[in-house]
Amino acid sequence: MNEGASGSIHVLNGPNLNLLGERQPEIYGTATLADVERSCRSVCDAAGVALEFHQTNSEATLIDQIQAARNSRGIVINPAGCSYSVPVLDALKACAAPVVEVHISNIHARSEAWRAETLTTAAAVGVISGLGIAGYALALEFLLKRDGGR
Ligand code: CA2
């Protein structure tokens, strides 16, 4: 067992998501990352589960955060631009914790076809894409139900 805090759930956010709400509201909406964190805390607080919430603009830091969460109760990740990264895929595949991938936009309906060609989704139990920031809370609810409210 490592330092992965088996009782907690980790929500990880990749590059540029710190800018959420500042640009491209037609694609990503107007909610900020602070709003995302508030909604995640509300779900985890209600379930009495500790939440680790992080955002990083560095691929290396994201990999460190995934490794730190590998034995946790679950990982919700929006890898953003790192969705197309082999090292991030490898880090996710090394996790014992169940992974749910979230994308705020519908990556299958974007004008750039390559956005749908994520590598990281191969390591996930499932993916929520296009439901805006509500996808994070839905992913958490799924993880909390999945292990029977332990
Ligand atoms: O839809 C998503 O959540 C994405 O993961 C967001 C990524 C994009 O590369 C993926 O294809 C889909 C981009 C995150 C950048 O976030 C910004 C938000 C607002 C303003 C500027 C950047």
Side-chain angles (χ1 to χ4, degrees), residues 15-17 19-24 28 78-81 83-84 102-107 110 114-115 136:
N16 299 305
L17 285 166
L19 300 178
L20 207 57
E22 286 186 24
R23 299 206 175 163
Q24 298 182 277
Y28 298 114
N78 183 345
S83 304
Y84 315 94
V102 170
H103 296 282
I104 295 164
S105 64
N106 180 351
I107 56 175
R110 300 280 298 267
W114 57 265
R115 286 199 189 273
Y136 288 83

Side-chain angles (χ1 to χ4, degrees), residues 2 21 34 49:
N2 72 339
V49 171

Side-chain angles (χ1 to χ4, degrees), residues 25-112:
E26 68 288 1
I27 297 173
Y28 298 114
T30 54
T32 65
L33 195 65
D35 295 324
V36 175
E37 180 166 2
R38 255 189 299 279
S39 95
C40 291
R41 290 217 176 276
S42 141
V43 172
C44 288
D45 286 355
V49 171
L51 171 69
E52 294 264 348
F53 188 96
H54 299 291
Q55 186 276 329
T56 177
N57 290 327
S58 153
E59 181 182 51
T61 303
L62 185 61
I63 290 167
D64 288 342
Q65 291 170 348
I66 292 166
Q67 289 188 6
R70 70 182 183 275
N71 292 315
S72 69
R73 187 162 163 170
I75 299 171
V76 174
I77 185 166
N78 183 345
C82 289
S83 304
Y84 315 94
S85 154
V86 170
V88 172
L89 168 64
D90 289 341
L92 289 170
K93 280 197 161 167
C95 289
V99 175
V100 178
E101 183 168 304
V102 170
H103 296 282
I104 295 164
S105 64
N106 180 351
I107 56 175
H108 299 278
R110 300 280 298 267
S111 56
E112 307 99 334

